[in-house]
Amino acid sequence: SDDADDSEKLYRDDTGYYLSFDQMVYKENSQHQDTQGLGMFFRYGYAPSKTNDLTNFVSAGVQYQGLLEGRDDDVLGFGFARGFFSELSKETYTQDGETVYEIYYNAQLLPYANITPSLQYITHPGGVSTPNAVVLAVRVHIVF
């Protein structure tokens, strides 16, 4: 199409890799099926800079399920994520990456419905030297 942006390129066979680790580090009860307790997670992703502006990504965090008495399925969590821009994209971005810190509380309203308010603090949003951002969000998850 003549309206296509020439700066947007499509690449074939673009690949990327990621690792993901989740581990329960403390359980409230010793029963095997019990999911209440403290868990940790770590994720890492890579994509080649030839075809991707964001080449490395890392995130980590902790979450506790069942922290409040009588709310065994609720989850309180804190997470950190950072995306790193490639050397080839320095002309587009004034910063080398973007960082997000998030605290959230996932409350089970019904067996099929959850609501998750969260607060995020973002440094260098969009990889540029703009003021940092604070984002208040609410996610609703309903299973049909």
Side-chain angles (χ1 to χ4, degrees):
S1 151
D2 291 335
D3 296 332
D5 181 3
D6 290 335
S7 67
E8 292 289 325
K9 296 179 183 174
L10 299 177
Y11 295 95
R12 288 182 169 210
D13 301 321
D14 187 15
T15 59
Y17 305 94
Y18 71 92
L19 297 170
S20 179
F21 300 97
D22 295 276
Q23 181 65 49
M24 176 75 77
V25 294
Y26 168 75
K27 286 181 97 170
E28 287 186 8
N29 303 303
S30 60
Q31 300 162 339
H32 178 69
Q33 69 275 13
D34 182 44
T35 57
Q36 293 183 66
L38 180 67
M40 300 175 72
F41 65 88
F42 173 80
R43 305 205 186 349
Y44 171 77
Y46 166 80
S49 62
K50 177 182 174 190
T51 53
N52 299 279
D53 289 347
L54 192 68
T55 57
N56 289 281
F57 174 83
V58 64
S59 69
V62 296
Q63 61 182 31
Y64 199 104
Q65 180 174 335
L67 183 64
L68 302 177
E69 190 69 34
R71 304 291 307 169
D72 295 348
D73 293 317
D74 289 5
V75 177
L76 173 66
F78 173 77
F80 157 87
R82 176 142 174 96
F84 299 88
F85 296 110
S86 75
E87 291 292 321
L88 298 176
S89 63
K90 288 236 184 244
E91 292 177 13
T92 305
Y93 306 101
T94 60
Q95 300 296 317
D96 63 353
E98 175 181 279
T99 305
V100 179
Y101 304 91
E102 179 180 23
I103 188 165
Y104 58 89
Y105 189 82
N106 183 337
Q108 184 176 36
L109 302 176
L110 299 166
Y112 56 87
N114 291 51
I115 188 167
T116 308
S118 71
L119 174 66
Q120 298 177 357
Y121 181 75
I122 305 169
T123 63
H124 308 301
V128 294
S129 296
T130 59
N132 296 335
V134 175
V135 177
L136 295 170
V138 176
R139 293 183 287 261
V140 176
H141 182 210
I142 299 173
V143 178
F144 292 99

